[in-house]
Amino acid sequence: MNAAAAFAPPSPVGKPVRFGVIGCSSIVPRALLEPARYVEHSAVVAVANRTAAKAELMAEQYGIGTVHRTPAELLNDSEVDAVYIALSNDLHAEWIARAMKAGKHVLVEKPLCLHTEELDLIESALQEDGPSLLEGVMVRHHPWQDKLRTMITDHSFGRLRSVETSLCIPAKNGHKDNYRSRPEQGGGCFRDLGVYWLQFLQTLLGLEGADFQGQSSFDGPGGCDWTFQAQAKYPDGLRAAVLCSFERPYRCSHTLTFDDAVVSLNDCFRSNLGFYKMTLRIRRSGGLPAKAEFRPMNYYVNQLDYFCRIVRGMAVPVPFRESAERIRLLDSIYQSARQSRVK
């Protein structure tokens, strides 16, 4: 975050949103603790973890004032306004519901939950004028998505013909002792990375009406999908495809092919590591290459700032139906791939 001066969100009037952390996974510093230093209307005041020693170490390293013995104890803390849930995927639905019923706003790591039937549990905890809920798909909080959507809708380069996406991030230490290598906890690459693909398509094209398919050999640890391919076919003939993998060389990119140009975004996760410039590269048929550049931003800082503004009534929340639509598709594509493998 060495370019912090490039982004300084204005602080709303009033007290900061006070966060409690549930789960001390490795993503917590990058997704919340470090971004909170740049979002003045946020403060992390409490932490809880199954292993108390991890919570105590995180509290010491990041100056968190209160360590709770259990997540349930944290939810009873009147000094906590919102919780950040960083548990394994199979625990998301339960703790979202419990937190919201306790009157806490919720920022939860993606995916929102694992299975379609869990959506009912979450929805039952939602109330009009009640606590806010945001699924942490951090890439949606960057203007490059709006720019691409505009290129599509205003036909800047003619009709969009295809979208190719690669989300390949080699597993560090094979995700040993990590829920990502345990199917029963929602492990595998598609549940970890596929949500980004679906959010990307949802924003640019919508998901309704498309026919989705998925394939994997499920030959990763414990029978997890270590490489997963999925395709979407739209009624107008447009095709979109994604390659997700924990074993192939690093490559995270989107390539959009139009009638008159190819637009690409390389290293599309770069801004989750700090304040970086993102660039859309444009190759026009018979023309000189061009590009659309964005000032240095950090995905997680943008996300945290947006969430705090939702809590303070300064921003419009993301409708629950958007996350629900993605989860239904994520689960459906995953299950269809499993069934086809068995056959």
Side-chain angles (χ1 to χ4, degrees):
M1 292 198 174
N2 53 3
F7 182 78
S11 179
V13 177
K15 295 180 180 179
V17 177
R18 299 167 299 179
F19 282 86
V21 176
I22 297 179
C24 293
S25 69
S26 60
I27 193 62
V28 176
R30 190 195 310 171
L32 178 67
L33 303 180
E34 292 169 4
R37 297 171 177 172
Y38 304 101
V39 180
E40 293 183 8
H41 44 289
S42 69
V44 182
V45 300
V47 60
N49 190 68
R50 182 181 61 180
T51 305
K54 290 184 69 174
E56 291 167 356
L57 178 61
M58 183 171 284
E60 180 181 351
Q61 290 178 329
Y62 290 92
I64 302 171
T66 302
V67 176
H68 288 291
R69 292 171 296 175
T70 65
E73 186 179 274
L74 185 146
L75 293 183
N76 288 325
D77 187 341
S78 61
E79 296 299 309
V80 171
D81 304 312
V83 296
Y84 169 67
I85 298 175
L87 300 168
S88 58
N89 295 339
D90 58 315
L91 298 175
H92 287 186
E94 174 189 353
W95 286 100
I96 290 170
R98 293 181 67 166
M100 299 194 77
K101 289 177 180 177
K104 309 299 185 186
H105 302 276
V106 175
L107 173 59
V108 60
E109 269 302 314
K110 54 76 195 161
L112 184 76
C113 59
L114 277 184
H115 306 295
T116 299
E117 55 267 27
E118 292 176 316
L119 292 170
D120 291 338
L121 174 63
I122 297 172
E123 193 164 21
S124 69
L126 296 172
Q127 298 179 10
E128 189 173 352
D129 299 325
S132 301
L133 170 63
L134 179 66
E135 180 186 14
V137 188
M138 76 291 180
V139 292
R140 81 180 310 279
H141 306 286
H142 194 288
W144 65 255
Q145 293 205 355
D146 293 331
K147 181 66 174 178
L148 284 176
R149 185 172 62 237
T150 298
M151 289 179 180
I152 295 169
T153 57
D154 69 6
H155 301 285
S156 301
F157 307 116
R159 179 181 168 190
L160 178 64
R161 297 294 182 176
S162 66
V163 182
E164 297 287 334
T165 297
S166 292
L167 300 175
C168 301
I169 304 177
K172 185 177 181 181
N173 299 323
H175 287 320
K176 185 180 179 182
D177 300 324
N178 186 298
Y179 74 87
R180 290 179 178 85
S181 61
R182 303 181 189 124
E184 68 277 9
Q185 292 185 289
C189 65
F190 188 63
R191 282 172 163 161
D192 195 59
L193 300 170
V195 65
Y196 294 115
W197 179 59
L198 292 177
Q199 184 277 321
F200 174 69
L201 295 183
Q202 187 179 48
T203 296
L204 269 61
L205 306 167
L207 299 174
E208 190 173 351
D211 178 39
F212 287 84
Q213 295 182 340
Q215 306 85 36
S216 177
S217 59
F218 293 94
D219 56 359
C224 282
D225 53 306
W226 234 229
T227 294
F228 196 106
Q229 293 176 286
Q231 305 82 33
K233 183 190 298 184
Y234 284 82
D236 63 357
L238 187 150
R239 293 177 180 268
V242 66
L243 171 66
C244 299
S245 183
F246 282 160
E247 57 190 343
R248 301 206 181 185
Y250 180 89
R251 178 178 169 82
C252 293
S253 65
H254 299 292
T255 302
L256 289 76
T257 301
F258 295 84
D259 287 330
D260 303 319
V262 175
V263 180
S264 59
L265 176 67
N266 297 320
D267 203 0
C268 60
F269 285 155
R270 181 170 174 77
S271 285
N272 75 359
L273 299 175
F275 290 83
Y276 291 104
K277 182 188 297 183
M278 302 296 289
T279 302
L280 295 174
R281 301 192 180 277
I282 305 165
R283 291 181 286 120
R284 302 201 66 166
S285 303
L288 295 174
K291 58 186 178 180
E293 291 185 325
F294 303 89
R295 63 181 176 84
M297 296 183 195
N298 179 297
Y299 288 146
Y300 288 115
V301 170
N302 288 3
Q303 176 176 268
L304 181 58
D305 176 58
Y306 171 69
F307 180 74
C308 290
R309 290 179 180 278
I310 291 174
V311 172
R312 292 298 184 225
M314 303 176 66
V316 178
V318 176
F320 173 73
R321 65 176 180 274
E322 289 190 15
S323 286
E325 183 182 38
R326 291 195 297 267
I327 293 302
R328 291 189 183 98
L329 263 177
L330 192 74
D331 194 22
S332 173
I333 296 167
Y334 179 86
Q335 296 302 337
S336 68
R338 270 209 168 278
Q339 292 167 7
S340 63
R341 179 188 68 98
V342 171
K343 293 176 182 179

